């Protein structure tokens, strides 16, 4: 079980939601867990200085987006 989770700047909100769920589950089920330990570890964000945001392949100043008009600006699963 990891303590630190590598996330980008735009995924930080998702980690906050996971932390809220983790806190609720631990608070509810800690009493019944073996040795009264937490059920889940609280994930901490690990946001690197490089790679925190995935940029467009055609324009390095804008964020990569699946809704961009240029299909060469992104990587698709079918590529």
């Amino acid at each position: 079980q990891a303590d630190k989770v590598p996330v980008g700047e735009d995924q930080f909100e998702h980690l906050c939601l996971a932390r809220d769920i983790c806190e609720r589950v631990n608070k509810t089920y800690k009493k019944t867990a073996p040795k009264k330990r937490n059920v889940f570890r609280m994930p901490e964000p690990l946001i690197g200085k490089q790679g925190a945001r995935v940029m467009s392949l055609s324009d390095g100043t804008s964020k990569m987006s699946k809704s961009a008009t240029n299909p060469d600006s992104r990587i698709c699963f079918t590529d």
Side-chain angles (χ1 to χ4, degrees):
Q1 292 185 359
D3 289 332
K4 300 211 182 279
V5 180
V7 294
E9 293 173 352
D10 54 343
Q11 297 296 316
F12 182 72
E13 290 84 13
H14 299 287
L15 184 64
C16 289
L17 176 62
R19 288 175 55 85
D20 291 344
I21 293 169
C22 176
E23 187 175 6
R24 287 182 186 181
V25 169
N26 285 341
K27 185 182 270 187
T28 302
Y29 296 105
K30 186 175 183 177
K31 300 169 199 158
T32 59
K35 298 182 183 177
K36 307 227 187 267
R37 291 188 285 179
N38 287 333
V39 178
F40 296 115
R41 290 185 184 178
M42 186 67 72
E44 295 292 330
L46 180 63
I47 301 174
K49 292 181 182 176
Q50 291 182 337
R53 194 171 282 261
V54 179
M55 304 310 277
S56 171
L57 299 177
S58 62
D59 177 18
T61 61
S62 65
K63 186 178 155 205
M64 186 181 288
S65 173
K66 63 184 174 195
S67 61
T69 56
N70 184 356
D72 294 330
S73 68
R74 62 187 172 270
I75 300 171
C76 299
F77 286 116
T78 57
D79 287 349

